[in-house]
Amino acid sequence: MAITFGMPSLGHTMEKGKVIEWLKHEGDAIAKGEPLVVIETDKVITEVESPTEGVVLRIVVPSEEERPIGALLAVLGAQGEQVSEVELQQMLGPAAVQAPATPAPVVVPAPMAVPRADVAARDGGERLKISPIARKLADELGLDASTMQGTGPGGRITKDDVLRVAEEAKTAAPAAPATAPVATTPAPARGRLGVSSTIPLHGMRGRVAERMFQSWNTIPRVTEVMQVDMSATVAFREAMLGQWEPQYGLRISLNDMITKAVAMALRRQPRLNATLVDQEVRLHDSVNVGIAVNLDEGLIVPVIFNADQKDLGQIAREGRDLAEKARAGRLQLDEISDGTFTITNLGTTGIELFTPIINPPQVAILGVGMVQRRPIVVGDALAIRPAVYLSLVFDHRAVDGVPAAHFLQEVKRLLERPQDYALS
């Protein structure tokens, strides 16, 4: 019996997905749990497995097309089974009006003479193993992935392999002859605005744009700012580094300590550890802190789960591992899902104060500025101490000003008494 395969829901904020690559063709046998298709969401590119064993009878949606959650992508069934056009139209239902079924067999014209990397084969007929993000990068750079040697598991070509080949090609490019005439480009007419390049709003960049537009236009947000004296945390860190480095095997940063303090404050002030879904505020028993990571393609937020229960070494190690995976395009869906609160830190860029945009369905986000020496009133005197501005942006539908202020006060109290959080 034919089974429909629809666009899966790969996160509670996902509304639609894009088919990046079919890993099986019509007529191919497939096992249950075997990767079937590569899907791009607003957060990640991931392989989706087949829900059943059988044969790919029809591929309805070709590569590079988007569909909403639940939309029919393919039909699976038993060997020798057939799906007529009438049956296919019935499976498509009302969506057939907007997205007509593609007659079998589906043929997607290649944009270049080089076959698409994920489904290409080497000269000897061997199937090419390449990650989805590496394949996309190779296409964008105009490189033939079938000639590359992969360094990933099982010889899989990774993003780093593609970047290495691109750099080697750039280095090997012959220099222009010294006697070659220098072409001159006429200056643009006065008053004309030239365009040097464009950045299309699609893929991850497009999804980020959509999510931020949605957040900005649908959430009644309020910002509360508090300055925190960081002298105790800075001094405590300096004193403990000699013990922490051999104990944890890495150097604890101020950001790690802020993450730990925030996680403990969320446990003590649970109104901020929440999401707003289906007209109800859901307070969560797990404190899952998302750490915003900037990529060329956009912003992604991997999650440190149960952060309040982890020591500084675990938080530091997981944070670094997640950031490296994000930059290499290797994050898994479960590493970016189910966050309950987000921290975004621009301190390393010299930003003192900013108001971030809430990451729905979460109800709050904390912006952390640069820790720097500032004048602070201590008693009746003025002292110069390291301090930081914390900007809490929250959804006023879910949280009122006083609970939000209590949360900031708790973060401030912890950071000014590091022994209360850094040793647990």
Side-chain angles (χ1 to χ4, degrees), residues 277-336:
V277 180
D278 296 332
Q279 297 300 309
E280 65 179 14
V281 179
R282 300 176 180 177
L283 305 184
H284 299 285
D285 52 7
S286 298
V287 177
N288 301 334
V289 179
I291 307 296
V293 177
N294 182 59
L295 307 176
D296 291 340
E297 302 88 354
L299 198 67
I300 196 166
V301 186
V303 178
I304 299 176
F305 294 92
N306 301 305
D308 60 315
Q309 301 175 25
K310 294 178 176 175
D311 61 35
L312 282 172
Q314 291 172 301
I315 288 175
R317 186 171 296 104
E318 288 189 26
R320 285 156 180 72
D321 289 346
L322 289 168
E324 289 176 5
K325 283 186 174 183
R327 295 186 180 103
R330 294 186 288 106
L331 282 173
Q332 301 298 311
L333 278 172
D334 57 358
E335 293 172 322
I336 58 172

Side-chain angles (χ1 to χ4, degrees), residues 72 88-98:
L72 181 65
L88 186 59
Q89 292 297 322
Q90 291 174 344
M91 293 176 183
L92 286 165
V97 176
Q98 299 176 350

Side-chain angles (χ1 to χ4, degrees), residues 44-55:
V44 73
I45 298 175
T46 189
E47 293 180 349
V48 179
E49 300 174 348
S50 171
T52 186
E53 181 179 356
V55 174

Side-chain angles (χ1 to χ4, degrees), residues 2 57-58 75-76 81-88 91 104:
L57 300 179
R58 297 289 294 269
V75 182
L76 311 178
E81 190 173 359
Q82 300 291 327
V83 177
S84 69
E85 290 298 325
V86 173
E87 291 173 320
L88 186 59
M91 293 176 183

Side-chain angles (χ1 to χ4, degrees), residues 228-239 254 257 385-386 412-419 421:
V228 177
D229 182 347
M230 291 289 287
S231 55
T233 282
V234 169
F236 190 82
R237 173 180 175 269
E238 291 298 324
L254 284 176
M257 299 183 74
R385 293 185 174 183
K412 175 181 170 70
R413 189 192 71 78
L414 287 167
L415 289 174
E416 293 180 351
R417 292 179 56 86
Q419 64 273 18
Y421 72 89

Side-chain angles (χ1 to χ4, degrees), residues 28-250:
D28 286 354
I30 189 165
K32 182 177 181 179
E34 187 177 1
L36 173 61
V37 63
V38 178
I39 297 293
E40 181 183 63
T41 73
D42 58 335
K43 296 179 178 179
V44 73
I45 298 175
T46 189
E47 293 180 349
V48 179
E49 300 174 348
S50 171
T52 186
E53 181 179 356
V55 174
V56 180
L57 300 179
R58 297 289 294 269
I59 292 178
V60 180
V61 178
S63 301
E64 303 301 330
E65 289 199 9
E66 287 185 332
R67 290 293 185 273
I69 291 175
L72 181 65
L73 301 183
V75 182
L76 311 178
Q79 184 69 47
E81 190 173 359
Q82 300 291 327
V83 177
S84 69
E85 290 298 325
V86 173
E87 291 173 320
L88 186 59
Q89 292 297 322
Q90 291 174 344
M91 293 176 183
L92 286 165
V97 176
Q98 299 176 350
T102 305
V106 176
V107 179
V108 184
M112 302 169 55
V114 178
R116 293 190 65 91
D118 234 318
V119 298
R122 300 190 188 275
D123 291 340
E126 176 190 357
R127 180 178 176 80
L128 188 63
K129 297 179 180 178
I130 182 169
S131 70
I133 196 165
R135 193 231 8 112
K136 288 194 71 179
L137 182 60
D139 281 354
E140 291 169 0
L141 296 176
L143 299 175
D144 184 354
S146 66
T147 64
M148 299 179 189
Q149 294 299 318
T151 60
R156 187 177 180 87
I157 298 170
T158 66
K159 178 182 178 182
D160 290 340
D161 295 325
V162 177
L163 292 174
R164 186 188 68 252
V165 171
E167 187 62 29
E168 291 172 352
K170 188 186 302 182
T171 304
T179 58
V182 178
T184 58
T185 303
R190 186 173 180 176
R192 296 285 298 275
L193 182 63
V195 177
S196 60
S197 63
T198 61
I199 303 175
L201 288 182
H202 60 56
M204 179 181 287
R205 181 74 265 166
R207 301 293 194 283
V208 170
E210 290 176 7
R211 293 285 305 287
M212 294 302 96
F213 183 83
Q214 173 196 7
S215 176
W216 186 262
N217 284 279
T218 61
I219 296 177
R221 61 208 167 276
V222 178
T223 302
E224 293 180 349
V225 180
M226 187 172 287
Q227 180 176 262
V228 177
D229 182 347
M230 291 289 287
S231 55
T233 282
V234 169
F236 190 82
R237 173 180 175 269
E238 291 298 324
M240 294 296 295
L241 278 177
Q243 174 181 327
W244 284 342
E245 287 194 42
Q247 178 182 350
Y248 298 135
L250 74 174

